[in-house]
Amino acid sequence: MASFLLMLALVNVNAQRIVERYAFQGTLDGKTAVRLAWEVNADGVAAGHIYYPNAKNPAPIMIIGSKRSDHYFILNEYQNDGEITGYLAFTINNGKLSGEWNNPRTEKELHFTNMRSMAFPKGYGGLLVPENPGNLGHYYCYQEYHTGMKELMGGNVKLIAAGKNRVHFEVSNVFGNIAEGKSEKGRPAVLKGNKFTYNHVNECDYGFKATFFTKFTVLESTTGYETRSCFGANIAFDAVYIKVKD
């Protein structure tokens, strides 16, 4: 029985493809207590939770982003409705975490201080479990405060089942400019595991990849900058979208 359980554990770890795991606790600007723990998969996607133990109603909040280099991480703090309520950018060197947390609405910057490694807390991981193709959500979104427009802007992904391992999609990403597109009639996206790649979205020949996890999806452009000319400047589908409707 023990060997069987070990085998199941190894299968689960391989399915999540977790290659790194971190947990730290300390303060923001030496005042606000904070804990954060996250995992990184083989594709460099990073996800976990941040926790403010002295908040009025403390609860772990999702943080999702990526590992940008050997030591540098960029993650956003997401509420369950997809709103981004914090930007995190930090480095880890010699086991020490240093960097900043920013408030999207006020642009106030707080520094991580006195951060020390801790045991990985129960319930802070598990966000990088690949989604079963049969359990994809119908609607994913994110919202980000645009300081110039003084309102929440963002994007959404709508999915409609089109047969086994096949879905039609509509994507709209609006942050200053607009990137919109959908699958062609009779040409749905074909899932391979928890991913699909879709090319020739529009006359500019734009293409992208979608990777689905149980609580979010990551969209990434797969074609060059010149294929974005059908969209507004400096915009594409690229973003993390939170599952808000099964």
Side-chain angles (χ1 to χ4, degrees):
M1 177 62 73
S3 61
F4 176 71
L5 292 175
L6 176 60
M7 181 175 68
L8 285 180
L10 290 173
V11 168
N12 185 54
V13 169
N14 288 335
Q16 294 184 50
R17 300 168 64 202
I18 303 302
V19 296
E20 297 175 33
R21 178 176 284 177
Y22 302 91
F24 287 85
Q25 62 181 343
T27 57
L28 291 170
D29 273 4
K31 299 176 181 178
T32 304
V34 64
R35 302 172 191 164
L36 61 156
W38 71 99
E39 298 169 317
V40 185
N41 72 7
D43 293 328
V45 180
H49 291 86
I50 190 168
Y51 178 71
Y52 306 98
N54 296 329
K56 185 176 180 180
N57 297 298
I61 302 170
M62 288 187 293
I63 51 173
I64 306 168
S66 62
K67 183 177 182 181
R68 299 298 179 89
S69 69
D70 286 346
H71 307 290
Y72 186 50
F73 294 84
I74 293 182
L75 300 97
N76 291 334
E77 180 184 289
Y78 291 89
Q79 301 297 320
N80 291 332
D81 64 358
E83 182 178 349
I84 297 172
T85 50
Y87 304 131
L88 292 77
F90 54 82
T91 59
I92 297 176
N93 281 306
N94 299 319
K96 296 182 178 180
L97 185 151
S98 59
E100 297 79 36
W101 179 97
N102 283 269
N103 186 314
R105 290 179 178 269
T106 66
E107 298 185 327
K108 183 176 182 179
E109 181 179 278
L110 302 175
H111 293 84
F112 288 106
T113 48
N114 309 313
M115 299 299 293
R116 57 194 183 279
S117 181
M118 61 181 286
F120 199 94
K122 183 178 180 180
Y124 278 55
L127 291 181
L128 292 176
V129 176
E131 182 66 285
N132 184 312
N135 293 332
L136 297 187
H138 291 116
Y139 191 82
Y140 299 76
C141 76
Y142 80 94
Q143 301 178 83
E144 187 172 0
Y145 189 76
H146 192 293
T147 54
M149 301 295 290
K150 298 188 184 305
E151 64 178 334
L152 287 171
M153 305 179 73
N156 60 71
V157 178
K158 299 179 183 178
L159 299 178
I160 300 173
K164 185 177 181 180
N165 296 336
R166 286 169 168 76
V167 292
H168 279 294
F169 65 82
E170 293 183 14
V171 179
S172 176
N173 193 17
V174 181
F175 195 78
N177 288 296
I178 301 174
E180 294 180 316
K182 61 182 180 179
S183 53
E184 293 180 9
K185 185 177 180 180
R187 188 168 74 95
V190 179
L191 285 150
K192 294 183 179 180
N194 68 321
K195 301 179 181 182
F196 72 69
T197 298
Y198 199 93
N199 294 314
H200 315 300
V201 172
N202 50 31
E203 62 269 27
C204 293
D205 222 22
Y206 178 73
F208 74 102
K209 177 178 70 174
T211 306
F212 295 91
F213 300 93
T214 55
K215 292 189 177 182
F216 65 97
T217 183
V218 179
L219 269 55
E220 302 171 88
S221 299
T222 57
T223 51
Y225 187 79
E226 68 281 357
T227 66
R228 303 184 185 190
S229 56
C230 285
F231 307 140
N234 300 316
I235 191 72
F237 290 176
D238 301 62
V240 171
Y241 301 76
I242 305 302
K243 182 199 283 190
V244 293
K245 290 184 182 179
D246 288 327

